[in-house]
Amino acid sequence: MYFYTTLTNVAFMIIYLLIGFILCKTKKADASHGKSLSALLIYVCGPAMILNAFLNVTYRKENLLQMGLFFIISFLLQAIIILILYLIFHKKFNNSLYRLLTIGAAFGNVGYFGLPIINSLFPKNPIVSCYSSVYVMSMNLLAFTLGVFMLTKNKKYISLKSAIINPTTLAISFSLPIYILSINLPSALDNAISILGKMTTPLCMFVLGMRMSTVKVIELFKRPVVYIACFLKLIIFPLFAYLCVFFLPFLDYPFKASILVLSSVPSAAIILSLAELHQTEQEISANIVLLSTILCIITIPLLLLIL
């Protein structure tokens, strides 16, 4: 059941990507507009998705504790895999390719890509949506500190302010009081937030498709380092993450399954954003994000066969 459910969800995401790609290739859309759509995604739809996740969960103290535990474990898993890869590749870290490969293997599209998958797998456990949200928060904390340092090798670019004050963190900070106090929003507002939240995945994939239209598709498949990054992100990291939590008796099945699903998603677009911001390996970072997104249609359904 999980295999076909996941395969269907991932297939539709690839279709969204292809729509963006085809629209740009046929001149019905302009790839330069991707920046504006990304702003809509990051500052409006993404926060709405997070708020909607918390609005759909009934407050219980144990749920809040589970979210906190998920945040800690997801943070540690990402940090540990970066440390392991650093120990393996540190002698080659003068080459920015290996530093990019390291963070590409750790940071995934856990919100826009991962959330709809775990929602479809566990429709009766809405807390999994909140797991996705706190995973995004832990990733942002690492991406704007350790991730930036790995890209630039310069501590001056590390922005703790950006790691803490960003749309994801602000959305969670706004959502938690509403969740804890069990505040019921007006039905019209609740519905509007839900609609905006559901736009995130299609919009994210449209933007990636538009970005893909600006590169030679054949070039995505020509760089060995991109395949290594995809292998680490799509296979090694999720298996490592699931193994770390599998034998912990105090974690329930949806928690462990969510770790596997969210760890198996393709590399996050934030990697490309940071690479462009700091002018480091922009082409390779784009290739890693795009190719891992394409290949995950195979890897995610197969990985979920172990659940």
Side-chain angles (χ1 to χ4, degrees):
M1 181 185 72
Y2 287 161
F3 178 87
Y4 294 107
T5 301
T6 308
L7 181 62
T8 302
N9 275 270
V10 176
F12 273 113
M13 293 179 199
I14 299 300
I15 290 172
Y16 297 147
L17 182 148
L18 290 175
I19 291 173
F21 176 81
I22 293 170
L23 285 174
C24 286
K25 283 297 186 181
T26 56
K27 309 299 182 182
K28 302 298 182 184
D30 192 326
S32 64
H33 296 158
K35 184 176 180 180
S36 298
L37 292 176
S38 293
L40 177 64
L41 179 67
I42 293 169
Y43 295 106
V44 179
C45 297
M49 176 189 72
I50 291 170
L51 178 55
N52 186 60
F54 281 89
L55 289 174
N56 287 314
V57 181
T58 303
Y59 173 73
R60 294 205 307 266
K61 184 178 180 180
E62 53 268 35
N63 283 346
L64 192 61
L65 292 174
Q66 287 290 92
M67 292 178 209
L69 185 58
F70 201 95
F71 172 83
I72 293 170
I73 289 178
S74 63
F75 183 93
L76 289 175
L77 288 172
Q78 293 168 95
I80 290 170
I81 197 68
I82 289 174
L83 176 60
I84 292 172
L85 292 176
Y86 168 76
L87 294 175
I88 295 172
F89 295 127
H90 72 279
K91 291 183 179 179
K92 299 181 179 180
F93 260 37
N94 286 331
N95 186 336
S96 57
L97 280 177
Y98 288 92
R99 303 198 303 272
L100 180 62
L101 184 153
T102 298
I103 62 172
F107 302 147
N109 195 348
V110 293
Y112 309 141
F113 205 101
L115 187 144
I117 295 177
I118 56 174
N119 273 346
S120 65
L121 295 177
F122 301 102
K124 296 182 180 180
N125 286 275
I127 191 175
V128 297
S129 298
C130 299
Y131 290 161
S132 172
S133 299
V134 297
Y135 199 136
V136 175
M137 187 175 176
S138 71
M139 184 187 70
N140 282 342
L141 284 171
L142 285 167
F144 284 100
T145 51
L146 185 58
V148 173
F149 177 69
M150 294 289 286
L151 268 179
T152 64
K153 293 191 71 177
N154 194 330
K155 293 181 181 178
K156 77 175 184 178
Y157 291 116
I158 295 176
S159 176
L160 188 59
K161 179 181 178 181
S162 296
I164 296 175
I165 303 176
N166 58 70
T168 298
T169 306
L170 292 176
I172 291 178
S173 300
F174 181 75
S175 301
L176 278 175
I178 294 176
Y179 167 68
I180 293 171
L181 298 174
S182 299
I183 297 173
N184 292 318
L185 299 181
S187 59
L189 178 59
D190 195 349
N191 187 54
I193 291 170
S194 176
I195 291 171
L196 285 172
K198 290 175 181 178
M199 288 172 57
T200 54
T201 298
L203 191 56
C204 174
M205 301 313 294
F206 289 156
V207 171
L208 280 177
M210 295 169 73
R211 191 182 297 276
M212 190 169 76
S213 72
T214 65
V215 303
K216 293 181 179 178
V217 177
I218 192 66
E219 296 297 324
L220 293 176
F221 302 93
K222 285 186 174 181
R223 301 294 292 270
V225 69
V226 177
Y227 285 99
I228 296 172
C230 290
F231 177 72
L232 290 170
K233 179 67 196 74
L234 299 176
I235 298 176
I236 298 300
F237 181 50
L239 290 176
F240 163 77
Y242 190 55
L243 183 64
C244 287
V245 300
F246 182 76
F247 296 103
L248 299 179
F250 54 88
L251 301 179
D252 61 19
Y253 178 73
F255 189 109
K256 295 176 182 178
S258 295
I259 287 287
L260 176 63
V261 173
L262 296 174
S263 298
S264 67
V265 297
S267 297
I270 194 172
I271 297 167
L272 175 56
S273 299
L274 292 174
E276 290 178 339
L277 179 64
H278 298 288
Q279 299 294 297
T280 304
E281 300 291 354
Q282 300 98 307
E283 180 184 351
I284 294 297
S285 62
N287 287 359
I288 289 173
V289 172
L290 289 169
L291 187 59
S292 64
T293 301
I294 293 170
L295 293 179
C296 77
I297 193 172
I298 300 171
T299 58
I300 294 179
L302 289 178
L303 276 173
L304 294 198
L305 288 175
I306 69 178
L307 290 178

